[in-house]
């Protein structure tokens, strides 16, 4: 049998670049040379392009992130799905934070007293076990929004900060933080003529961030708002349906960070649609969409709901808060063509969890991205 040590360095690198990130993580301590390779930004980019996307299901709940086990493979054979909250994803003892994720990185904002100087952001790569604390230029407001992305064709990650409220922004409220320079700068020439949908949650796709938004002044249909971290500008993109997020439920998501997905539920019809992107043109603001499925249901999702798409099993897993008479519960709704069923999340025997408040379910792809 040919040993890895007998192979050329280029061939070894090619083989390793095609293995999932979590598999390579276990190899870091076995070979000093490989550990050095995994820390090389050039290899990180190559691995991101070639390695299979190994994804986890995570849930943000009561300002903590938990891993969730989801098994849906036999759902079309009338075998019940298995969903279980496995345990908390620790962050070096800091457990009070919200999160935005991009390419294997989690962007966390501490809950400790917004509007006070000294509040910080932290970027965390669970696969690599790395954290990067970031000082803010000015104190952030509780309504501020943060997004994480990167400049294409180079290893340059950035954070966007902007006001989440509907007021007219003043100079300096749109800011960019660059990892390479470790500094903030003001983003000027921003045309702030839009409002984010009520939940205001963005998703990352190929380095850019996307939100559902509406026009501040004109009564036009909702649109997809993109922030391009390479060009550092916003642009509007067409949604595949006509609607207003003030009256309908319109929520974005991603499919393994390989496609964008949007859930649309009309206020006037008892049906839910999920659409997936086929292509987003970088030059003419054109988006190609395909309908994943439509399902009839009489349950109305709240604007705080979240969902993830399982293309292989042709279903979507939705998480929403059920407002009961005595308490609120996080229910999971599995929907597909001619399928709508409710599943209660099972709590791990080792990690009891209170499900009061807002849950947020999302798929997370591990990566070797360096943030130090």
């Amino acid at each position: 049998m040919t040993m890895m040590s007998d192979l050329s360095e280029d061939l070894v690198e090619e083989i390793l670049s095609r293995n999932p990130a979590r598999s390579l993580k276990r190899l870091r301590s076995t070979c000093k040379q490989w550990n050095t390779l995994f820390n090389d930004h050039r290899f990180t980019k190559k691995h991101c392009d070639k390695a299979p996307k190994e994804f986890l299901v995570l849930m943000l709940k009561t300002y903590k992130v938990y891993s969730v086990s989801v098994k849906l493979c036999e759902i079309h054979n009338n075998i019940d799905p298995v969903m279980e909250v496995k345990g908390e994803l620790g962050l070096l003892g800091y457990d009070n934070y919200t999160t935005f994720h991009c390419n294997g990185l989690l962007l966390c904002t501490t809950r400790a007293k917004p509007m006070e100087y000294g509040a910080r952001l932290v970027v965390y790569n669970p696969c690599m076990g790395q954290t990067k604390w970031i000082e803010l230029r000015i104190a952030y407001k509780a309504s501020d929004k943060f997004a994480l992305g990167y400049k294409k064709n180079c290893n340059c990650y950035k954070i966007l900060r902007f006001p989440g409220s509907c007021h007219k922004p003043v100079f300096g409220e749109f800011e960019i933080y660059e990892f390479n320079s470790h500094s903030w700068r003001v983003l000027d020439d921003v045309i702030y003529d839009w409002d984010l949908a009520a939940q205001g949650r963005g998703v990352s796709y190929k380095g850019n961030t996307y939100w559902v938004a509406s026009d501040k002044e004109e009564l036009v249909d909702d649109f997809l708002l993109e922030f391009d971290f390479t060009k550092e500008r916003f642009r509007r993109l067409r949604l595949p349906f006509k609607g207003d997020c003030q009256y309908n439920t319109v929520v974005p998501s991603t499919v393994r960070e390989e496609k964008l997905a949007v859930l649309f539920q009309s206020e006037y019809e008892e049906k839910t649609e999920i659409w997936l992107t086929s292509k987003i043109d970088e030059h003419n603001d054109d988006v190609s969409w395909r309908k994943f499925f439509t399902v009839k249901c009489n349950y109305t999702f709240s604007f705080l709901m979240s969902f993830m798409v399982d293309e292989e099993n042709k279903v979507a897993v939705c998480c929403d808060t059920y407002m009961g008479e005595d308490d609120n519960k996080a229910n999971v709704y599995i929907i597909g063509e001619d399928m709508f069923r409710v599943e209660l999340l099972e709590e791990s025997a080792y990690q009891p969890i209170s499900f009061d408040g807002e849950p947020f379910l999302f798929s997370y792809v591990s990566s070797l991205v360096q943030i130090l």
Side-chain angles (χ1 to χ4, degrees):
M1 178 182 292
T2 302
M3 302 297 292
M4 292 287 277
S5 59
D6 297 330
L7 304 178
S8 67
E9 291 185 7
D10 289 343
L11 183 55
V12 170
E13 181 177 317
E14 185 67 25
I15 293 172
L16 293 174
S17 70
R18 296 177 183 272
N19 281 269
R22 288 197 294 170
S23 297
L24 297 188
K25 177 184 177 181
R26 293 191 288 266
L27 298 177
R28 288 172 62 88
S29 60
T30 64
C31 178
K32 184 177 180 180
Q33 183 179 357
W34 289 359
N35 185 54
T36 302
L37 177 65
F38 300 158
N39 291 331
D40 188 307
H41 294 308
R42 179 188 56 81
F43 177 80
T44 299
K45 185 178 185 307
K46 184 176 182 179
H47 179 268
C48 183
D49 294 337
K50 294 188 174 185
K53 302 299 182 183
E54 185 180 36
F55 83 104
L56 306 173
V57 179
L58 301 181
M59 172 181 279
L60 174 66
K61 190 68 194 69
T62 55
Y63 302 100
K64 297 182 181 181
V65 176
Y66 300 91
S67 62
V68 181
S69 172
V70 181
K71 296 180 182 178
L72 302 171
C73 56
E74 297 293 331
I75 191 170
H76 293 289
N77 295 328
N78 293 321
I79 296 178
D80 289 340
V82 177
M83 302 191 66
E84 181 184 10
V85 177
K86 304 297 289 187
E88 183 181 346
L89 187 70
L91 182 59
L92 298 180
Y94 297 91
D95 59 4
N96 291 329
Y97 54 87
T98 57
T99 184
F100 184 94
H101 64 104
C102 168
N103 201 23
L105 303 181
L106 299 178
L107 171 63
C108 309
T109 56
T110 61
R111 294 179 63 207
K113 300 179 182 178
M115 294 293 290
E116 287 192 3
Y117 292 99
R120 297 183 295 173
L121 305 178
V122 59
V123 179
Y124 178 43
N125 185 333
C127 182
M128 301 296 287
Q130 294 180 347
T131 59
K132 179 181 178 67
W133 289 92
I134 298 171
E135 299 286 348
L136 293 166
R137 187 178 68 89
I138 58 176
Y140 72 90
K141 304 180 182 69
S143 60
D144 281 357
K145 300 297 182 184
F146 295 90
L148 175 65
Y150 57 86
K151 185 176 180 180
K152 291 182 174 61
N153 301 319
C154 71
N155 191 59
C156 180
Y157 282 80
K158 304 178 183 181
I159 295 172
L160 169 70
R161 174 205 181 206
F162 64 98
S165 57
C166 300
H167 72 282
K168 184 176 180 180
V170 298
F171 179 77
E173 287 195 303
F174 284 79
E175 294 183 303
I176 289 284
Y177 177 87
E178 290 199 35
F179 282 42
N180 289 355
S181 64
H182 309 287
S183 62
W184 292 91
R185 55 183 167 81
V186 173
L187 185 65
D188 52 13
D189 298 327
V190 175
I191 301 176
Y192 190 40
D193 57 354
W194 40 261
D195 288 324
L196 299 185
Q199 44 91 358
R201 187 180 294 129
V203 296
S204 176
Y205 170 65
K206 292 188 175 180
N208 297 334
T209 300
Y210 298 82
W211 301 264
V212 173
S214 58
D215 193 277
K216 274 183 176 291
E217 303 294 339
E218 299 182 18
L219 295 177
V220 297
D221 291 323
D222 290 343
F223 50 87
L224 200 63
L225 180 69
E226 175 197 74
F227 183 76
D228 187 321
F229 277 89
T230 302
K231 300 176 182 178
E232 295 187 354
R233 69 176 180 88
F234 291 92
R235 67 168 176 165
R236 300 183 180 194
L237 300 172
R238 177 184 61 85
L239 286 169
F241 45 77
K242 296 183 181 296
D244 184 341
C245 57
Q246 183 177 353
Y247 303 104
N248 305 302
T249 301
V250 187
V251 178
S253 184
T254 58
V255 185
R256 298 183 177 224
E257 297 189 3
E258 296 173 347
K259 301 173 186 175
L260 281 177
V262 174
L263 179 145
F264 173 74
Q265 187 177 57
S266 172
E267 180 189 30
Y268 306 104
E269 300 179 73
E270 292 184 351
K271 69 176 184 179
T272 299
E273 300 174 352
I274 290 185
W275 293 79
L276 306 181
T277 54
S278 301
K279 180 183 178 182
I280 299 180
D281 196 299
E282 296 184 7
H283 306 290
N284 61 10
D285 299 345
D286 186 36
V287 185
S288 298
W289 296 90
R290 68 177 178 89
K291 186 181 288 186
F292 187 45
F293 62 73
T294 300
V295 59
K296 292 184 179 180
C297 61
N298 56 13
Y299 174 81
T300 301
F301 288 113
S302 75
F303 63 85
L304 293 174
M305 69 87 65
S306 56
F307 74 100
M308 49 170 285
V309 170
D310 185 334
E311 278 195 287
E312 182 179 352
N313 292 299
K314 298 181 180 179
V315 297
V317 181
C318 308
C319 190
D320 201 8
T321 300
Y322 171 74
M323 310 297 288
E325 294 182 2
D326 299 323
D327 58 359
N328 302 337
K329 295 181 179 179
N331 281 352
V332 170
Y333 303 83
I334 300 176
I335 63 176
E337 203 77 55
D338 301 321
M339 178 188 297
F340 185 91
R341 57 187 296 169
V342 183
E343 304 290 334
L344 291 176
L345 277 173
E346 298 180 13
E347 299 180 9
S348 168
Y350 305 102
Q351 183 70 39
I353 299 166
S354 171
F355 283 116
D356 57 329
E358 174 196 349
F360 171 41
L361 193 71
F362 62 98
S363 60
Y364 166 82
V365 179
S366 302
S367 80
L368 300 178
V369 172
Q370 303 289 309
I371 55 176
L372 299 180

